[in-house]
Amino acid sequence: MSEENKYILQVKDLHTSFATDAGEVRAVNGVSFNLEPGKTLGIVGESGSGKSVTSYSIMQILAETGKITGGEVLYHGEDISKWNEKQMQKFRGEKCSIIFQDPMTSLNPVFTIGNQLMEAILLHTDKDKKQARERAIEMLTLVGVNEPESRLKQYPHELSGGMRQRVMIAMALVCEPDILIADEPTTALDVTIQAQILELMQDLQKKLGMAIIMVTHDLGVIASMCDEIIVMYGGRVCERGTADAIFYHPAHEYTKGLLRSIPKADNMNEKLIPIGGTPINLLQMPEGCAFCPRCESAMKICLKQQPAEFRVGEDHLASCWMNVKEIYEAQEGGSMSSEKKNNDYLLEVEHLKQYFPVHQGFSTIPLKAVDDISFAIRPGETLGLVGESGCGKTTVGRTLLRLYQPTAGKITFDGKVLFDSGEQYDENGKMIVDANGKPVMGKKVDVNMMPYRKEMQMVFQDPYSSLNPRMTVEDIIGEPLDVHKLYRNKKERREKILDLMELVGLNAEHAMRYAHEFSGGQRQRIGIARALAVNPKFIVCDEAVSALDVSIQAQVVNMFEELQEKLGVAYLFIAHDLLVVHHISDRIAVMYLGKMMEIADADELNANPIHPYTLSLLSAVPIPDPETARKSHRIVLEGDVPSPLKMPTGCPFRTRCKYATEKCGQEMPQLTDRGNGHMVACWNK
């Protein structure tokens, strides 16, 4: 079989550059790979490694300043890099489609979801409007969007981040392309929806013989999805091989560093080992190996000469001089204790409720985003909060910081009551009512939050919308310092800002840039630096590391842990990556549709999950080990997710729970201790 017939796509010595005021940015430097029909190729690497630019070059959707300066992109043997725009328009969507990383900037804000989905169908197929609408509903259902008919009428800003990402995936798959490029397709999704999306992509791949290029920093997704993997750094491919070869026999020091940076389910007590140094400046590419400045095993030849690809196994190649010299060094991380010395609570939340009014016709219906939850966090403790998109995790975080005005409940911080709506509860957690069924009210408290802003901070999920586009990085990070007057002069202010930037992996030259000039992961680092600027006692981390590649994620997670040990700062760590949550958390709380289902120590919850919903979440976690991933079994939840406006009586999970009984439909169970502080809200466990 000839090369042209064997491969659906071939990228040969691809070079892509961007013209900037500071000079030429060589984002892709000689990338080559082959893609077979029906196979999945994973591309991994840190932010700025050239992963996304390689994908955009294939589809010729680069920014105006970007240009392919060399190489070929062959589709069935024909060089499409030479095609004109009309030819590429037909190729995009019909033959090759892409799932973008940032759905908010990829979806058109002035058109409905239905219009945007149907546009692709009408443009690339012979379906009429009625058929296109039916196909759009079908795809939204497939990717886990509830009430798809009503979603067609909504605009992107009306959907959550995870929901927008699902719409993007539906748009990419709607025309059943030959090649699907997935650029961080599941970053904003919780693990159950992520597992559903990955299964959907694999099912379509088997049905259509579709080839997939998976661009991601999540090595768990790579392990479960990919046949072959290429590892990129500084715009170059530093290692390529099968999934087993890359995970079990990494040959490049950079690949080893990435693998050391991810949490291991079987060893959560060890610190993560991040890659030292900072990512390479693409304006100043070195003469030798791009990874040399960060490599602890670098030799003189690494500084002077870029290594060629050396064969280190069957279908396994690496661009590293160490494979010639056979120099290998083992590195081990230190252990850390998760014990907390202070048993007094820093934050106490009791019977918290957060309802939002939804107008339907002439009536108003409460959307119960958070419905009567209680928990507490000690100084220096990390409580992980997990659950599917829409369960109320982010709303909890924002309500605690009073970005939302609570509907009811009590919030106590550092011994001071910040909010108390006055409802009274008995020892069983039941609200006390009078003879007429009205709540018996106590004293109401609602303090001014301004003095507490310094003590309580938040790292937001969407770094792009949480950063002021008109402010430089220096002013964004410096704003909290200005508000709370935490410096004596401008020199001290700048020194503090530069220290914070270095702490989160940003270079000093980034200080005068604006948010739109950074990648998603870099923008998240700016948000983290801003939150840390005032040395808070408590930080709500709302998906704080979901947009980061694994090596930077490891640095940030370690940074959070080091600050915790040094300053005693406490975290509410909201995330959908259960491996990261397990690693960083002392205890984990599980939410479902505004209710708290289970709370336990992190190791206890992982080893002995009790609630059926927790079991399904843990079974959906992608494991960064190909052999284990192949053997793992995901618990598939049946039934429909209730609408937040039409919540069932009793336990909200009962519509999807195979253990549900008549009692589950009558009353919501309270959290009860099943031993050693393992709290569960379930009638049948």
Side-chain angles (χ1 to χ4, degrees), residues 45-87:
E46 295 173 291
S47 296
S49 64
K51 308 186 302 293
S52 295
V53 175
T54 299
S55 303
Y56 298 164
S57 299
I58 293 171
M59 299 190 72
Q60 295 186 36
I61 51 175
L62 300 166
E64 291 184 4
T65 56
K67 183 180 180 181
I68 297 176
T69 58
E72 298 177 313
V73 179
L74 306 179
Y75 174 68
H76 286 303
E78 186 173 357
D79 188 2
I80 63 174
S81 66
K82 305 296 190 294
W83 281 5
N84 59 35
E85 180 59 24
K86 185 175 181 180
Q87 290 174 301

Side-chain angles (χ1 to χ4, degrees), residues 312-328:
V312 293
E314 186 178 357
D315 297 323
H316 186 189
L317 300 99
S319 299
C320 183
W321 289 116
M322 289 183 64
N323 296 297
V324 180
K325 298 295 183 181
E326 299 180 349
I327 300 173
Y328 292 94

Side-chain angles (χ1 to χ4, degrees), residues 604-622:
E604 165 69 13
L605 188 80
N606 189 68
N608 184 35
I610 296 178
H611 199 284
Y613 179 58
T614 308
L615 285 165
S616 69
L617 284 180
L618 291 173
S619 74
V621 175

Side-chain angles (χ1 to χ4, degrees), residues 101-109 156-159 164 168 462:
Q101 179 178 1
D102 189 349
M104 194 58 189
T105 57
S106 304
L107 294 170
N108 194 320
H157 72 272
E158 298 181 86
L159 305 180
R164 288 194 293 265
M168 281 296 306
D462 185 354

Side-chain angles (χ1 to χ4, degrees), residues 385-396:
L385 185 58
V386 300
E388 294 173 292
S389 293
C391 71
K393 305 187 299 294
T394 295
T395 303
V396 169

